[in-house]
Coordinates of all heavy atoms in Angstrom, one line a residue:
M683 N 8.4 6.1 5.1 CA 8.5 7.5 5.5 C 7.6 7.8 6.7 O 6.5 7.5 6.7 CB 8.0 8.4 4.3 CG 9.1 8.6 3.2 SD 8.4 9.6 1.9 CE 7.7 8.4 0.9
V684 N 8.2 8.3 7.7 CA 7.5 8.7 8.9 C 7.7 10.1 9.3 O 8.8 10.6 9.3 CB 8.0 7.8 10.1 CG1 7.2 8.2 11.4 CG2 7.7 6.3 9.8
F685 N 6.6 10.8 9.5 CA 6.7 12.2 9.9 C 6.2 12.3 11.4 O 5.1 12.5 11.7 CB 5.8 13.0 9.0 CG 6.2 13.0 7.5 CD1 5.7 11.9 6.7 CD2 7.1 13.9 7.0 CE1 6.1 11.8 5.4 CE2 7.5 13.8 5.7 CZ 7.0 12.8 4.9
G686 N 7.2 12.1 12.2 CA 6.9 11.9 13.6 C 6.1 12.9 14.3 O 5.0 12.6 14.8
P687 N 6.5 14.2 14.3 CA 5.8 15.2 15.1 C 4.4 15.3 14.6 O 3.5 15.7 15.4 CB 6.5 16.5 14.8 CG 7.9 16.1 14.2 CD 7.7 14.7 13.6
R688 N 4.1 15.0 13.4 CA 2.8 15.1 12.8 C 2.0 13.8 12.9 O 0.8 13.8 12.5 CB 2.7 15.6 11.4 CG 3.5 16.9 11.2 CD 3.1 17.6 10.0 NE 4.2 18.0 9.2 CZ 4.1 18.7 8.1 NH1 2.9 19.0 7.6 NH2 5.1 19.0 7.3
R689 N 2.7 12.8 13.4 CA 2.0 11.5 13.4 C 1.4 11.0 12.2 O 0.2 10.6 12.1 CB 1.0 11.4 14.6 CG 1.6 11.7 16.0 CD 0.6 11.6 17.1 NE 0.2 10.3 17.5 CZ 1.0 9.5 18.2 NH1 2.2 9.8 18.5 NH2 0.5 8.3 18.5
K690 N 2.1 11.2 11.1 CA 1.6 10.7 9.8 C 2.7 9.8 9.2 O 3.8 10.0 9.3 CB 1.5 11.9 8.9 CG 0.3 12.8 9.4 CD -0.1 13.9 8.5 CE -1.2 14.7 9.1 NZ -1.8 15.7 8.2
V691 N 2.1 8.7 8.6 CA 3.0 7.8 8.0 C 2.6 7.4 6.6 O 1.4 7.4 6.3 CB 3.1 6.5 8.9 CG1 1.8 5.9 9.1 CG2 4.1 5.5 8.4
I692 N 3.6 7.2 5.7 CA 3.3 7.0 4.3 C 3.8 5.6 3.9 O 5.0 5.4 4.2 CB 3.8 8.1 3.4 CG1 3.1 9.4 3.7 CG2 3.6 7.7 1.9 CD1 3.7 10.6 3.1
F693 N 3.1 4.7 3.4 CA 3.5 3.5 2.9 C 3.6 3.5 1.4 O 2.6 3.9 0.8 CB 2.6 2.3 3.3 CG 2.6 2.0 4.8 CD1 1.5 2.2 5.6 CD2 3.7 1.4 5.3 CE1 1.5 1.9 6.9 CE2 3.8 1.1 6.7 CZ 2.7 1.4 7.5
V694 N 4.6 3.0 0.8 CA 4.7 2.8 -0.6 C 4.6 1.3 -0.9 O 5.6 0.6 -0.4 CB 5.9 3.4 -1.3 CG1 5.9 3.2 -2.8 CG2 6.0 4.9 -1.0
H695 N 3.6 0.8 -1.5 CA 3.4 -0.6 -1.6 C 3.8 -1.1 -3.1 O 3.4 -0.4 -4.0 CB 1.9 -1.0 -1.5 CG 1.5 -0.9 -0.1 ND1 2.1 -1.3 1.1 CD2 0.3 -0.3 0.4 CE1 1.4 -1.1 2.1 NE2 0.4 -0.4 1.8
G696 N 4.4 -2.2 -3.2 CA 4.5 -2.8 -4.5 C 3.2 -3.5 -4.8 O 2.6 -4.2 -4.0
C697 N 2.7 -3.2 -6.0 CA 1.4 -3.6 -6.4 C 1.2 -5.2 -6.5 O 0.2 -5.7 -6.0 CB 1.0 -3.1 -7.8 SG 0.9 -1.3 -7.8
F698 N 2.2 -5.9 -6.9 CA 2.1 -7.3 -6.9 C 2.1 -7.9 -5.5 O 1.2 -8.6 -5.1 CB 3.2 -7.9 -7.8 CG 3.2 -9.4 -7.7 CD1 2.2 -10.2 -8.5 CD2 4.1 -10.2 -7.0 CE1 2.2 -11.6 -8.4 CE2 4.1 -11.6 -6.9 CZ 3.1 -12.2 -7.7
W699 N 3.1 -7.5 -4.7 CA 3.3 -8.1 -3.4 C 2.2 -7.8 -2.4 O 1.8 -8.5 -1.5 CB 4.6 -7.7 -2.8 CG 5.7 -8.5 -3.4 CD1 6.6 -8.0 -4.3 CD2 6.0 -9.9 -3.2 NE1 7.4 -9.0 -4.7 CE2 7.1 -10.2 -4.1 CE3 5.5 -10.9 -2.5 CZ2 7.7 -11.4 -4.1 CZ3 6.0 -12.1 -2.5 CH2 7.1 -12.4 -3.3
H700 N 1.6 -6.6 -2.7 CA 0.6 -6.1 -1.7 C -0.8 -6.2 -2.3 O -1.8 -5.6 -1.8 CB 0.9 -4.7 -1.2 CG 2.2 -4.7 -0.4 ND1 2.3 -4.8 0.9 CD2 3.5 -4.7 -0.9 CE1 3.5 -4.8 1.3 NE2 4.3 -4.7 0.3
S701 N -1.0 -6.9 -3.5 CA -2.3 -7.1 -4.1 C -3.1 -5.8 -4.2 O -4.2 -5.7 -3.7 CB -3.1 -8.1 -3.2 OG -2.4 -9.3 -3.0
H702 N -2.6 -4.9 -5.0 CA -3.3 -3.7 -5.2 C -4.6 -4.1 -5.9 O -4.6 -4.7 -7.0 CB -2.5 -2.8 -6.2 CG -3.0 -1.4 -6.3 ND1 -2.6 -0.6 -7.3 CD2 -4.0 -0.8 -5.6 CE1 -3.3 0.5 -7.2 NE2 -4.1 0.4 -6.2
D703 N -5.7 -3.7 -5.2 CA -7.0 -4.2 -5.8 C -7.8 -3.1 -6.7 O -9.0 -3.2 -6.8 CB -7.9 -4.7 -4.7 CG -8.1 -3.7 -3.6 OD1 -7.8 -2.6 -3.7 OD2 -8.6 -4.2 -2.5
D704 N -7.0 -2.3 -7.2 CA -7.6 -1.3 -8.2 C -7.6 -2.0 -9.6 O -6.6 -2.4 -10.1 CB -6.7 -0.1 -8.3 CG -7.3 1.0 -9.2 OD1 -8.1 0.7 -10.1 OD2 -6.9 2.2 -9.0
P705 N -8.8 -2.1 -10.1 CA -9.0 -2.8 -11.5 C -8.1 -2.1 -12.5 O -7.8 -2.7 -13.6 CB -10.4 -2.7 -11.8 CG -11.0 -1.8 -10.8 CD -10.1 -1.7 -9.7
A706 N -7.8 -0.8 -12.3 CA -7.0 -0.1 -13.3 C -5.5 -0.3 -13.2 O -4.7 0.1 -14.0 CB -7.3 1.4 -13.2
C707 N -5.1 -1.0 -12.1 CA -3.7 -1.2 -11.9 C -3.1 -2.2 -12.9 O -3.6 -3.3 -13.1 CB -3.5 -1.8 -10.5 SG -1.8 -2.2 -10.1
P708 N -2.1 -1.8 -13.6 CA -1.5 -2.6 -14.6 C -0.5 -3.6 -14.1 O 0.0 -4.5 -14.8 CB -0.7 -1.6 -15.5 CG -0.4 -0.5 -14.6 CD -1.4 -0.4 -13.5
V709 N -0.2 -3.5 -12.8 CA 0.9 -4.4 -12.2 C 0.4 -5.5 -11.4 O 1.0 -6.6 -11.3 CB 1.9 -3.5 -11.4 CG1 3.1 -4.3 -11.0 CG2 2.3 -2.2 -12.1
A710 N -0.7 -5.3 -10.8 CA -1.2 -6.3 -9.8 C -2.0 -7.4 -10.4 O -3.0 -7.8 -9.9 CB -2.1 -5.6 -8.7
H711 N -1.4 -8.0 -11.4 CA -2.1 -9.2 -12.0 C -1.9 -10.4 -11.0 O -0.9 -10.6 -10.4 CB -1.5 -9.6 -13.3 CG 0.0 -9.7 -13.2 ND1 0.9 -8.6 -13.4 CD2 0.8 -10.8 -13.0 CE1 2.1 -9.0 -13.3 NE2 2.1 -10.3 -13.0
K712 N -3.0 -11.2 -11.0 CA -2.9 -12.4 -10.1 C -2.0 -13.4 -10.8 O -2.0 -13.6 -12.0 CB -4.3 -12.9 -10.0 CG -5.2 -12.1 -9.1 CD -5.0 -12.6 -7.6 CE -6.0 -11.8 -6.6 NZ -5.4 -10.5 -6.2
P713 N -1.3 -14.1 -10.0 CA -0.4 -15.2 -10.6 C -1.2 -16.2 -11.3 O -2.3 -16.6 -10.8 CB 0.3 -15.7 -9.4 CG -0.5 -15.3 -8.2 CD -1.1 -14.0 -8.5
R714 N -0.7 -16.8 -12.4 CA -1.5 -17.8 -13.1 C -0.9 -19.2 -12.9 O -1.7 -20.2 -13.0 CB -1.5 -17.5 -14.6 CG -2.4 -16.3 -15.0 CD -2.5 -16.2 -16.4 NE -3.0 -14.8 -16.7 CZ -2.2 -13.8 -16.9 NH1 -0.9 -13.9 -16.9 NH2 -2.8 -12.6 -17.2
S715 N 0.3 -19.2 -12.5 CA 0.9 -20.6 -12.2 C 1.2 -20.6 -10.7 O 1.3 -19.6 -10.0 CB 2.1 -20.8 -13.0 OG 3.1 -19.8 -12.7
N716 N 1.3 -21.8 -10.1 CA 1.5 -22.0 -8.7 C 0.5 -21.2 -7.8 O 0.9 -20.6 -6.8 CB 2.9 -21.6 -8.3 CG 3.9 -22.6 -8.8 OD1 3.6 -23.8 -8.9 ND2 5.1 -22.1 -9.2
V717 N -0.7 -21.2 -8.3 CA -1.7 -20.4 -7.6 C -1.9 -20.8 -6.1 O -2.0 -19.9 -5.2 CB -3.1 -20.5 -8.3 CG1 -4.2 -19.8 -7.5 CG2 -3.0 -19.8 -9.7
D718 N -1.8 -22.1 -5.9 CA -1.9 -22.6 -4.5 C -0.8 -22.1 -3.6 O -1.0 -21.9 -2.3 CB -1.9 -24.2 -4.4 CG -3.1 -24.7 -5.0 OD1 -4.1 -24.0 -5.2 OD2 -3.2 -25.9 -5.3
Y719 N 0.3 -21.8 -4.2 CA 1.4 -21.2 -3.4 C 1.3 -19.8 -3.2 O 1.4 -19.2 -2.1 CB 2.7 -21.6 -4.1 CG 4.0 -20.9 -3.6 CD1 4.5 -21.4 -2.4 CD2 4.5 -19.8 -4.2 CE1 5.7 -20.7 -1.9 CE2 5.6 -19.2 -3.7 CZ 6.2 -19.6 -2.5 OH 7.3 -19.0 -2.0
W720 N 1.0 -19.1 -4.3 CA 1.0 -17.6 -4.3 C -0.2 -17.0 -3.6 O 0.0 -16.0 -2.8 CB 1.1 -17.0 -5.8 CG 2.4 -17.1 -6.3 CD1 2.9 -18.0 -7.3 CD2 3.6 -16.4 -5.9 NE1 4.2 -17.8 -7.5 CE2 4.6 -16.8 -6.7 CE3 3.8 -15.3 -5.0 CZ2 5.9 -16.2 -6.6 CZ3 5.0 -14.8 -4.9 CH2 6.1 -15.2 -5.7
L721 N -1.4 -17.5 -3.8 CA -2.5 -16.8 -3.3 C -2.5 -16.7 -1.8 O -2.7 -15.5 -1.3 CB -3.8 -17.4 -3.8 CG -4.2 -17.1 -5.2 CD1 -5.6 -17.6 -5.6 CD2 -4.1 -15.5 -5.5
P722 N -2.3 -17.8 -1.1 CA -2.2 -17.6 0.4 C -1.1 -16.7 0.9 O -1.3 -15.9 1.8 CB -2.0 -19.0 0.9 CG -2.3 -19.9 -0.2 CD -2.1 -19.2 -1.5
K723 N 0.0 -16.7 0.2 CA 1.1 -15.8 0.5 C 0.7 -14.4 0.3 O 1.0 -13.5 1.2 CB 2.3 -16.2 -0.5 CG 3.7 -16.0 0.1 CD 4.6 -16.4 -1.0 CE 6.0 -15.9 -0.7 NZ 6.6 -16.6 0.5
L724 N 0.1 -14.0 -0.8 CA -0.3 -12.7 -1.1 C -1.4 -12.2 -0.1 O -1.4 -11.1 0.3 CB -0.8 -12.5 -2.5 CG 0.3 -12.7 -3.6 CD1 -0.2 -12.7 -5.0 CD2 1.5 -11.7 -3.5
E725 N -2.3 -13.2 0.2 CA -3.4 -12.9 1.1 C -2.8 -12.5 2.5 O -3.3 -11.5 3.1 CB -4.4 -14.0 1.3 CG -5.4 -14.2 0.2 CD -6.3 -12.9 0.1 OE1 -6.8 -12.5 1.2 OE2 -6.4 -12.4 -1.0
R726 N -1.8 -13.2 2.9 CA -1.2 -12.9 4.2 C -0.5 -11.6 4.2 O -0.7 -10.8 5.2 CB -0.1 -14.0 4.5 CG -0.7 -15.2 5.2 CD 0.4 -16.0 6.0 NE 1.5 -16.4 5.1 CZ 1.4 -17.5 4.4 NH1 0.3 -18.3 4.4 NH2 2.4 -17.8 3.6
T727 N 0.1 -11.2 3.1 CA 0.8 -9.9 3.1 C -0.3 -8.8 3.2 O -0.1 -7.8 3.9 CB 1.6 -9.7 1.7 OG1 2.5 -10.8 1.6 CG2 2.3 -8.4 1.7
K728 N -1.4 -9.0 2.4 CA -2.5 -8.0 2.4 C -3.1 -7.8 3.8 O -3.3 -6.7 4.3 CB -3.5 -8.4 1.4 CG -4.5 -7.3 1.0 CD -5.4 -7.9 -0.1 CE -6.5 -6.9 -0.4 NZ -6.0 -5.8 -1.2
K729 N -3.3 -9.0 4.5 CA -3.9 -9.0 5.8 C -2.9 -8.2 6.8 O -3.4 -7.4 7.6 CB -4.1 -10.4 6.3 CG -5.0 -10.5 7.4 CD -5.8 -11.9 7.4 CE -6.5 -12.1 8.8 NZ -5.6 -12.8 9.8
R730 N -1.6 -8.5 6.7 CA -0.7 -7.9 7.5 C -0.6 -6.4 7.3 O -0.6 -5.6 8.3 CB 0.7 -8.4 7.3 CG 1.6 -8.4 8.5 CD 2.9 -9.1 8.3 NE 3.6 -8.7 7.1 CZ 4.1 -9.5 6.2 NH1 4.2 -10.8 6.4 NH2 4.7 -9.0 5.1
D731 N -0.7 -5.9 6.0 CA -0.8 -4.5 5.8 C -2.0 -3.9 6.5 O -1.9 -2.8 7.1 CB -1.0 -4.2 4.3 CG 0.2 -4.5 3.4 OD1 1.3 -4.6 4.1 OD2 0.1 -4.7 2.3
Q732 N -3.1 -4.5 6.4 CA -4.4 -4.0 7.0 C -4.3 -3.9 8.5 O -4.7 -3.0 9.1 CB -5.6 -4.8 6.5 CG -6.0 -4.5 5.1 CD -6.9 -5.6 4.5 OE1 -7.1 -6.6 5.1 NE2 -7.4 -5.3 3.3
E733 N -3.6 -4.9 9.1 CA -3.5 -4.9 10.5 C -2.5 -3.8 11.0 O -2.8 -3.2 12.0 CB -3.0 -6.3 11.0 CG -4.1 -7.4 11.0 CD -3.5 -8.8 11.1 OE1 -2.3 -8.9 11.2 OE2 -4.3 -9.7 11.1
N734 N -1.4 -3.7 10.2 CA -0.5 -2.6 10.5 C -1.2 -1.2 10.5 O -1.0 -0.4 11.4 CB 0.7 -2.6 9.5 CG 1.6 -3.7 9.8 OD1 1.7 -4.3 10.8 ND2 2.4 -4.0 8.8
I735 N -2.0 -1.0 9.5 CA -2.6 0.3 9.3 C -3.6 0.5 10.4 O -3.7 1.6 11.1 CB -3.3 0.4 7.9 CG1 -2.2 0.5 6.9 CG2 -4.3 1.6 7.9 CD1 -2.7 0.3 5.4
K736 N -4.4 -0.5 10.7 CA -5.4 -0.5 11.8 C -4.7 -0.1 13.1 O -5.2 0.7 13.9 CB -6.2 -1.7 11.9 CG -7.7 -1.5 11.9 CD -8.5 -2.7 12.3 CE -8.5 -3.8 11.3 NZ -9.1 -5.1 11.7
A737 N -3.6 -0.8 13.4 CA -2.9 -0.6 14.7 C -2.4 0.8 14.7 O -2.5 1.5 15.8 CB -1.7 -1.6 14.8
L738 N -1.8 1.3 13.6 CA -1.3 2.7 13.6 C -2.4 3.7 13.9 O -2.3 4.6 14.6 CB -0.6 3.0 12.3 CG 0.8 2.4 12.2 CD1 1.3 2.4 10.7 CD2 1.8 3.2 13.0
E739 N -3.5 3.5 13.2 CA -4.6 4.4 13.3 C -5.2 4.5 14.6 O -5.6 5.5 15.1 CB -5.7 4.1 12.2 CG -5.3 4.5 10.8 CD -6.3 4.2 9.7 OE1 -7.2 3.4 10.0 OE2 -6.2 4.8 8.6
S740 N -5.2 3.3 15.3 CA -5.8 3.3 16.6 C -4.9 3.9 17.6 O -5.3 4.3 18.7 CB -6.1 1.8 17.1 OG -4.9 1.2 17.4
E741 N -3.6 4.2 17.2 CA -2.7 4.9 18.1 C -2.7 6.4 17.7 O -1.8 7.1 18.2 CB -1.3 4.3 18.0 CG -1.2 3.0 18.8 CD 0.1 2.3 18.5 OE1 1.1 3.0 18.2 OE2 0.2 1.0 18.5
G742 N -3.5 6.8 16.8 CA -3.6 8.2 16.4 C -2.8 8.6 15.3 O -2.7 9.8 15.0
W743 N -2.3 7.7 14.5 CA -1.5 8.0 13.3 C -2.5 8.1 12.1 O -3.5 7.4 12.0 CB -0.5 6.9 13.0 CG 0.6 6.9 14.0 CD1 0.7 6.3 15.2 CD2 1.9 7.5 13.8 NE1 1.9 6.5 15.8 CE2 2.7 7.2 14.9 CE3 2.5 8.2 12.7 CZ2 4.0 7.6 15.0 CZ3 3.8 8.6 12.8 CH2 4.6 8.4 14.0
S744 N -2.2 9.1 11.2 CA -2.8 9.1 9.9 C -1.9 8.3 8.9 O -0.7 8.5 8.9 CB -2.9 10.5 9.4 OG -3.7 11.3 10.4
V745 N -2.6 7.5 8.1 CA -1.8 6.6 7.2 C -2.2 6.9 5.8 O -3.4 7.0 5.5 CB -2.1 5.1 7.5 CG1 -1.4 4.2 6.5 CG2 -1.7 4.8 9.0
M746 N -1.2 7.1 5.0 CA -1.5 7.3 3.5 C -0.8 6.2 2.8 O 0.4 5.8 3.1 CB -1.0 8.6 3.1 CG -1.1 8.8 1.6 SD -0.6 10.5 1.1 CE -0.7 10.3 -0.7
E747 N -1.5 5.5 1.8 CA -0.8 4.5 1.1 C -0.6 5.0 -0.4 O -1.5 5.6 -1.0 CB -1.7 3.3 0.9 CG -1.9 2.5 2.3 CD -2.9 1.4 2.1 OE1 -4.1 1.7 2.1 OE2 -2.5 0.3 2.0
I748 N 0.6 4.8 -0.9 CA 0.9 5.1 -2.3 C 1.3 3.7 -3.0 O 2.0 2.9 -2.4 CB 2.0 6.1 -2.4 CG1 1.7 7.4 -1.8 CG2 2.5 6.2 -3.9 CD1 2.8 8.4 -1.7
W749 N 0.7 3.5 -4.2 CA 1.0 2.3 -4.9 C 2.0 2.5 -5.9 O 2.1 3.6 -6.5 CB -0.3 1.8 -5.4 CG -1.3 1.3 -4.4 CD1 -2.3 2.1 -3.8 CD2 -1.3 0.0 -3.7 NE1 -2.9 1.3 -2.8 CE2 -2.3 0.1 -2.8 CE3 -0.6 -1.2 -3.9 CZ2 -2.6 -1.0 -1.9 CZ3 -0.9 -2.2 -3.0 CH2 -1.9 -2.2 -2.1
E750 N 2.8 1.4 -6.1 CA 3.8 1.4 -7.1 C 3.4 2.0 -8.5 O 4.1 2.8 -9.1 CB 4.2 -0.1 -7.3 CG 5.3 -0.4 -8.3 CD 5.5 -1.9 -8.4 OE1 4.8 -2.7 -7.7 OE2 6.2 -2.3 -9.3
C751 N 2.2 1.6 -9.0 CA 1.7 2.0 -10.2 C 1.4 3.5 -10.2 O 1.3 4.2 -11.3 CB 0.5 1.2 -10.7 SG -0.9 1.4 -9.7
E752 N 1.1 4.1 -9.0 CA 0.8 5.5 -9.0 C 2.1 6.4 -9.1 O 1.9 7.6 -9.3 CB 0.1 5.8 -7.7 CG -1.3 5.1 -7.6 CD -1.9 5.4 -6.2 OE1 -1.2 5.5 -5.2 OE2 -3.1 5.3 -6.1
L753 N 3.2 5.8 -8.9 CA 4.5 6.6 -8.9 C 4.7 7.2 -10.3 O 5.5 8.1 -10.4 CB 5.7 5.7 -8.5 CG 5.6 5.2 -7.0 CD1 6.8 4.3 -6.7 CD2 5.6 6.4 -6.1
K754 N 4.0 6.6 -11.3 CA 4.1 7.2 -12.6 C 3.4 8.5 -12.8 O 3.7 9.2 -13.7 CB 3.6 6.2 -13.7 CG 4.5 5.0 -13.8 CD 3.9 4.0 -14.8 CE 4.5 2.6 -14.6 NZ 3.6 1.6 -14.4
E755 N 2.5 8.7 -11.9 CA 1.7 10.0 -11.9 C 2.2 10.9 -10.8 O 1.4 11.1 -9.9 CB 0.2 9.7 -11.9 CG -0.3 9.0 -13.1 CD -1.6 8.3 -12.9 OE1 -2.5 9.0 -12.3 OE2 -1.8 7.1 -13.3
L756 N 3.3 11.4 -10.9 CA 3.9 12.2 -9.8 C 3.1 13.4 -9.4 O 3.0 13.8 -8.3 CB 5.4 12.6 -10.1 CG 6.3 11.4 -9.9 CD1 7.7 11.9 -10.2 CD2 6.3 10.9 -8.5
D757 N 2.5 14.0 -10.4 CA 1.7 15.2 -10.2 C 0.6 14.9 -9.2 O 0.4 15.7 -8.2 CB 1.1 15.8 -11.5 CG 2.2 16.5 -12.3 OD1 3.4 16.6 -11.8 OD2 1.9 16.9 -13.4
S758 N -0.1 13.9 -9.5 CA -1.3 13.6 -8.6 C -0.9 13.1 -7.2 O -1.5 13.4 -6.2 CB -2.3 12.6 -9.3 OG -1.8 11.3 -9.1
I759 N 0.3 12.4 -7.2 CA 0.8 12.1 -5.8 C 1.2 13.3 -5.1 O 0.9 13.4 -3.9 CB 2.0 11.1 -6.0 CG1 1.5 9.7 -6.5 CG2 2.7 11.0 -4.7 CD1 2.6 8.7 -6.6
E760 N 1.9 14.2 -5.7 CA 2.3 15.4 -5.0 C 1.1 16.1 -4.4 O 1.2 16.6 -3.3 CB 3.0 16.3 -6.0 CG 4.0 17.3 -5.4 CD 4.6 18.1 -6.5 OE1 5.0 17.6 -7.6 OE2 4.8 19.4 -6.2
E761 N 0.1 16.2 -5.2 CA -1.2 16.9 -4.7 C -1.7 16.2 -3.5 O -2.0 16.8 -2.4 CB -2.2 16.8 -5.8 CG -2.9 18.1 -6.1 CD -3.6 18.0 -7.4 OE1 -4.7 17.4 -7.4 OE2 -3.1 18.5 -8.5
R762 N -1.8 14.8 -3.6 CA -2.3 14.1 -2.4 C -1.4 14.2 -1.2 O -1.9 14.2 -0.1 CB -2.5 12.6 -2.8 CG -3.8 12.4 -3.7 CD -3.8 11.0 -4.2 NE -3.6 10.0 -3.2 CZ -3.1 8.7 -3.4 NH1 -2.7 8.4 -4.6 NH2 -3.0 7.9 -2.5
L763 N -0.1 14.1 -1.5 CA 0.8 14.3 -0.4 C 0.7 15.6 0.4 O 0.6 15.6 1.6 CB 2.3 14.2 -0.9 CG 3.0 12.9 -0.9 CD1 4.4 13.0 -1.5 CD2 3.1 12.3 0.5
C764 N 0.6 16.6 -0.4 CA 0.5 17.9 0.2 C -0.8 18.0 1.0 O -0.8 18.5 2.2 CB 0.4 19.1 -0.8 SG 2.1 19.3 -1.6
S765 N -2.0 17.5 0.5 CA -3.2 17.7 1.2 C -3.2 16.7 2.4 O -3.7 17.0 3.5 CB -4.4 17.5 0.4 OG -4.5 16.2 0.0
F766 N -2.4 15.6 2.3 CA -2.3 14.6 3.4 C -1.5 15.3 4.6 O -1.9 15.2 5.7 CB -1.7 13.4 3.0 CG -1.4 12.4 4.0 CD1 -2.4 11.7 4.7 CD2 -0.1 12.1 4.5 CE1 -2.2 10.7 5.7 CE2 0.2 11.2 5.5 CZ -0.9 10.5 6.1
L767 N -0.4 15.9 4.2 CA 0.5 16.5 5.2 C -0.1 17.7 5.8 O 0.2 18.0 7.0 CB 1.9 16.7 4.7 CG 2.7 15.4 4.3 CD1 3.9 15.7 3.6 CD2 2.9 14.6 5.5
D768 N -0.8 18.5 5.0 CA -1.4 19.7 5.6 C -2.7 19.4 6.4 O -3.0 20.2 7.3 CB -1.8 20.6 4.4 CG -0.6 21.2 3.8 OD1 0.5 21.1 4.4 OD2 -0.7 21.7 2.7
G769 N -3.3 18.4 6.0 CA -4.7 18.1 6.6 C -4.6 17.7 8.1 O -3.6 17.5 8.6
Ligands
ZN1039 ZN1 -1.1 -0.7 -8.6

């Protein structure tokens, strides 16, 4: 989702693919098998996310991240969205 005139962008991340590092996250479990394959792959995705966000912020964009597991709590997301877009 991109809000052009306001230069705000919202990412919705899948917790597994984007390694949500909230200990309360029920989805972002680390893979237990094929760890040698998965860990570098997930690390690269995470690094790319951070680089994207840094690049956007350096161009004056505000970035908000929403995680897959947070979509269950729509009320709190709505609140954060409103204050993000108004702020
Ligand atoms: Zn999560």
Side-chain angles (χ1 to χ4, degrees):
M683 278 180 269
V684 177
F685 298 87
R688 303 203 230 183
R689 297 179 78 75
K690 294 188 180 189
V691 59
I692 297 170
F693 289 113
V694 181
H695 294 310
C697 294
F698 176 75
W699 285 105
H700 297 265
S701 307
H702 191 194
D703 53 13
D704 185 337
C707 176
V709 189
H711 52 273
K712 287 270 183 276
R714 286 190 199 89
S715 57
N716 287 328
V717 170
D718 289 347
Y719 170 78
W720 281 109
L721 282 189
K723 209 176 165 68
L724 295 175
E725 279 300 312
R726 274 201 301 278
T727 305
K728 197 177 173 72
K729 198 155 167 268
R730 206 173 53 222
D731 287 342
Q732 284 161 355
E733 285 166 0
N734 285 341
I735 289 170
K736 232 193 289 172
L738 282 164
E739 284 178 342
S740 74
E741 288 170 27
W743 288 80
S744 302
V745 179
M746 176 178 172
E747 291 176 283
I748 296 175
W749 292 91
E750 181 187 352
C751 62
E752 295 174 333
L753 294 177
K754 289 178 197 126
E755 294 160 43
L756 282 180
D757 286 353
S758 82
I759 287 183
E760 202 180 323
E761 231 165 76
R762 282 170 53 206
L763 265 180
C764 288
S765 69
F766 176 72
L767 292 173
D768 290 343

